[in-house]
C-alpha cells in the first residue's frame, strides 16, 4: 500500500492555473496519478462528433507529452470513475482524489458517486473552482439564494462579491513521484498506452476532411493562441476600442477565438480574464476605468453557467422553469435535415452549417443567424433540435452556455417576453457581414461562379446568369426550403398572439435592455435593414 494522490482530469485539461494539481502535489514523496477516464460522458463525449473528439484527444496528448518530460504520463483508462478509483485504492492505497469543479447539473450524479466512494473508503476528496471565474453557488447565495434572472442583475451580484481570483502559480513537476499502473489495471480496464484515435472510440468522419481552418487541441496551442489574441486586443485598446471582432466580424481570416480552449479547459478562464484586464490597464495607465465590456463574452459564459446550476432540465423545454413553453411545430418533410446539412437554399445559412460540420466552429454572429433561422426567424422548429446538433459538432459547445444561447435566440428565455420584433434576415445580414460573397463560395462551392449581386439570393438570378455560373437553382443548388419573408411574418404574428394569451410573464429570464439584446445578437447599431420588422 503505497498511498498516493490522484488528479482527475475532466474539463480542466491544463497544468497552468490548476489548483487541483497544487492540492495533489502537496506531498511530493507520495505517488502521483494523473488520470483521464473515458466513461462515455466526461468532457462532453456522450453525443460527440469527430472534430470535438479529435480536439479532446489532442488535448490529452499534449498533457501526456508534458508529463513525459518529467518521467511520468497521463493514465488514460476506459471505465467508470468510481470503479477506477476503487481499484487504485485497493492496489496502491490512494489517500486523496483532486479535481476541478464541474458545476453543471449533468455531472452531479457522476461526482456524487465518487464522493460517496471516498466517504466509504476513507479517501480525501478535494474539489476546486477554476473552470469558472466565480463559484456559481457563491453567486446564487449573494443574490439571495436564487440565480440572477438578468445579465444586469448578474453583473450587480458579482460586483458585490468582488473580482474573481487571480490564477494560482504554476507547479514545477521536477522530482514528482510518478507511478506506473500494474498489470491488474490492464486486465480489469482498457488502458491506453498512447492517446487513442477517434476511430478507436467508435467516432468516424462523416464527410471528407476538407477543413479550411485547423483547430488544434491542447494547452500548448491554447497558450500560444492566447498570446496572438492579446496582440489583437492590444491594438484595439490602443485605438480606444474593445471587442475588435464584435462590430465587424471577419468570417474569412483565421479565427482568434479562444472559446474551444476555454471550453475544454486547455486555457484557464482566469488567466485570460486577468491578462485582458491587466493589458487594458497597462495601455490606459489607469486613466480609464476597467470596464466589464472588454471581457463581456467571458461574463456571459459565467451567467449561463450560474443559471444552469440547480436546473437539471435547463437544456430542454419540459420542466424547465426559466423557459417559455412555445408551441413549436414538428419538422415537415426534410426541412430539419436540410438545415443540418446546409441545403436550405439560403447560401449564408448553408455556408455556416457546412462550416460547422467540417471545422467545428462558427463566429457568434453566424451562430445567431442559423439559430434564428431554425427557430422563431423562419422554420419555427424547437431550439432543442439545434442544441442537440451543436453539442455534437461545435468544438466550444458547453452544455449550459450552448443551451442558454439557444434559449435566448429562440425567445424561449433570457429575453423580454416573446419580444421577437427583430427577425434576422439571412440575406441582408450575410451581405453586410461578408459583402464579397467569398464566405459562401468557400463553403458552398456550387455557387462559386455566381455573381456577387446574387450570391446571397441565387434564386433571384435570371436563368441566363444561372447557366453562365454553371449553377441552376433547383438542380445544382437547392431552391429555398421556405419563403423566408412569409415565414418571418407568420412567426412574428404567432409570437404576438402568444404574448396576448399570457397575462403576465412566467419567471423566465429576460434581458435588461434593448441594447443588451442587440449586443448579444451581434446586430450592432447601424443595420436596421438586416432585420425583418415589417415583413
Amino acid at each position: 500500500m503505497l498511498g498516493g494522490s490522484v488528479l482527475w482530469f475532466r474539463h480542466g485539461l491544463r497544468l497552468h492555473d490548476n489548483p487541483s494539481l497544487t492540492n495533489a502535489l502537496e506531498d511530493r514523496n507520495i505517488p502521483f496519478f494523473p488520470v483521464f477516464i473515458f466513461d462515455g460522458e466526461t468532457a462532453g463525449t456522450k453525443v460527440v462528433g469527430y472534430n470535438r473528439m479529435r480536439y479532446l484527444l489532442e488535448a490529452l496528448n499534449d498533457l501526456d507529452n508534458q508529463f513525459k518530460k518529467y518521467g511520468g504520463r497521463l493514465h488514460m483508462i476506459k471505465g467508470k470513475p468510481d470503479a477506477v478509483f476503487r481499484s487504485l485504492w485497493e492496489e496502491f492505497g490512494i489517500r486523496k482524489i483532486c479535481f476541478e469543479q464541474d458545476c453543471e447539473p449533468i455531472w452531479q450524479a457522476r461526482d456524487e458517486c465518487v464522493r460517496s466512494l471516498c466517504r466509504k473508503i476513507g479517501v480525501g476528496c478535494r474539489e476546486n473552482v477554476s473552470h469558472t471565474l466565480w463559484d456559481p453557488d457563491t453567486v446564487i447565495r449573494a443574490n439571495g439564494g436564487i440565480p440572477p434572472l438578468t445579465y444586469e442583475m448578474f453583473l450587480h451580484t458579482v460586483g458585490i462579491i468582488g473580482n474573481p481570483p487571480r490564477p494560482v502559480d504554476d507547479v514545477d513537476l521536477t522530482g514528482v513521484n510518478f507511478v506506473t499502473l500494474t498489470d491488474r489495471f490492464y486486465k480489469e480496464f482498457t488502458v491506453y498506452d498512447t492517446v487513442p484515435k477517434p476511430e478507436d472510440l467508435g467516432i468516424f468522419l462523416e464527410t471528407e476532411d476538407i477543413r479550411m481552418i485547423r483547430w488544434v487541441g491542447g494547452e500548448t496551442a491554447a497558450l500560444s493562441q492566447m498570446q496572438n489574441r492579446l496582440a489583437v486586443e492590444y491594438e484595439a485598446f490602443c485605438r480606444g476600442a474593445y471587442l475588435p471582432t464584435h462590430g465587424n466580424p471577419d468570417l474569412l481570416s483565421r479565427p482568434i477565438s479562444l472559446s474551444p480552449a476555454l471550453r475544454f479547459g486547455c486555457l484557464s478562464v482566469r488567466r485570460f480574464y486577468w491578462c485582458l484586464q491587466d493589458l487594458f490597464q497597462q495601455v490606459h495607465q489607469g486613466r480609464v476605468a476597467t470596464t466589464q465590456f472588454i471581457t463581456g463574452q467571458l461574463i456571459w459564459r459565467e451567467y449561463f453557467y450560474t443559471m444552469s446550476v440547480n436546473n437539471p432540465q435547463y437544456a430542454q423545454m419540459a420542466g424547465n422553469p426559466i423557459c417559455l413553453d412555445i408551441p413549436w411545430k414538428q419538422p415537415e418533410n426534410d426541412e430539419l435535415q436540410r438545415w443540418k446539412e446546409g441545403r436550405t437554399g439560403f447560401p449564408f445559412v448553408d455556408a455556416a452549417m457546412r462550416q460547422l460540420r467540417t471545422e467545428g466552429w462558427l463566429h457568434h454572429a453566424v451562430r445567431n443567424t442559423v439559430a434564428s433561422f431554425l427557430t422563431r426567424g423562419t422554420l419555427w422548429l424547437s431550439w432543442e433540435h439545434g442544441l442537440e446538433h451543436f453539442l455534437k459538432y461545435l468544438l466550444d459547445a458547453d452544455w449550459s452556455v450552448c443551451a442558454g444561447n439557444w434559449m435566448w435566440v429562440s425567445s424561449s428565455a433570457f429575453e423580454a417576453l416573446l419580444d421577437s420584433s427583430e427577425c434576422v434576415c439571412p440575406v441582408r445580414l450575410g451581405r453586410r457581414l461578408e459583402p464579397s460573397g467569398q464566405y459562401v463560395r468557400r463553403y458552398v462551392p456550387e455557387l462559386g461562379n455566381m455573381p456577387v449581386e446574387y450570391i446571397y439570393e441565387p434564386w433571384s438570378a435570371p436563368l441566363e446568369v444561372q447557366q453562365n455560373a454553371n449553377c441552376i437553382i433547383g438542380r445544382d443548388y437547392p431552391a429555398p426550403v421556405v419563403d423566408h419573408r412569409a415565414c418571418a411574418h407568420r412567426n412574428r404574428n404567432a409570437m404576438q398572439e402568444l404574448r396576448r394569451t399570457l397575462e403576465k410573464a412566467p419567471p423566465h429570464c429576460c434581458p435588461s435592455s434593448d441594447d443588451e439584446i442587440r449586443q448579444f445578437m451581434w446586430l450592432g447599431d447601424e443595420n436596421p435593414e438586416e432585420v425583418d420588422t415589417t415583413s
Side-chain angles (χ1 to χ4, degrees), residues 469-486:
N470 296 316
C471 184
I472 304 299
I473 303 305
R475 185 191 71 187
D476 303 305
Y477 178 73
V481 63
V482 292
D483 182 334
H484 165 73
R485 293 184 67 85

Side-chain angles (χ1 to χ4, degrees), residues 320-340:
N320 185 348
I322 67 167
C323 180
L324 295 173
D325 187 14
I326 297 175
W328 307 108
K329 71 179 180 67
Q330 292 298 313
E332 298 174 357
N333 301 316
D334 63 345
E335 59 183 355
L336 177 58
Q337 197 62 29
R338 286 178 64 172
W339 177 82
K340 290 180 178 180

Side-chain angles (χ1 to χ4, degrees), residues 218-257:
E219 178 180 24
T220 301
L223 290 173
S224 175
Q225 291 160 3
M226 185 185 73
Q227 293 305 315
N228 295 335
R229 173 64 179 269
L230 291 174
V232 174
E233 298 288 344
Y234 175 79
E235 293 179 0
F237 292 163
C238 289
R239 298 195 309 268
Y242 54 83
L243 297 178
T245 67
H246 199 291
N248 295 290
D250 185 350
L251 304 184
L252 295 173
S253 299
R254 181 174 181 80
I256 61 172
S257 175

Side-chain angles (χ1 to χ4, degrees), residues 339-344 349-360 362 443-446 477-478:
W339 177 82
K340 290 180 178 180
E341 295 175 358
R343 297 185 294 107
T344 68
V349 172
D350 291 346
M353 298 307 293
R354 297 186 194 186
Q355 181 186 18
L356 173 63
R357 291 281 290 268
T358 57
E359 296 173 4
L362 293 174
Y443 297 104
V444 189
E446 308 96 295
Y477 178 73

Side-chain angles (χ1 to χ4, degrees), residues 266-286:
C266 301
L267 175 65
S268 158
V269 65
R270 301 191 300 196
R271 171 75 67 88
F272 183 41
Y273 174 92
W274 280 110
C275 281
L276 281 173
Q277 295 288 349
D278 292 344
L279 183 63
F280 186 88
Q281 289 294 342
Q282 172 192 330
V283 169
H284 294 288
Q285 299 179 1

Side-chain angles (χ1 to χ4, degrees), residues 429-503:
L429 185 60
R431 282 175 176 157
R432 182 182 76 85
L433 293 179
E434 210 291 283
S436 74
Q438 289 305 312
Y439 178 72
V440 168
R441 293 188 177 92
R442 174 183 291 179
Y443 297 104
V444 189
E446 308 96 295
L447 297 171
N449 297 320
M450 188 66 66
V452 68
E453 58 265 34
Y454 299 111
I455 193 72
Y456 287 108
E457 47 181 345
W459 61 87
S460 68
L463 180 59
E464 182 180 359
V465 173
Q466 296 180 34
Q467 291 172 334
N468 290 337
N470 296 316
C471 184
I472 304 299
I473 303 305
R475 185 191 71 187
D476 303 305
Y477 178 73
V481 63
V482 292
D483 182 334
H484 165 73
R485 293 184 67 85
C487 288
H489 179 73
R490 177 200 66 200
N491 295 351
R492 183 171 182 237
N493 289 341
M495 282 289 188
Q496 290 175 339
E497 181 61 28
L498 282 169
R499 192 173 186 176
R500 283 192 291 267
T501 63
L502 294 172
E503 294 183 0

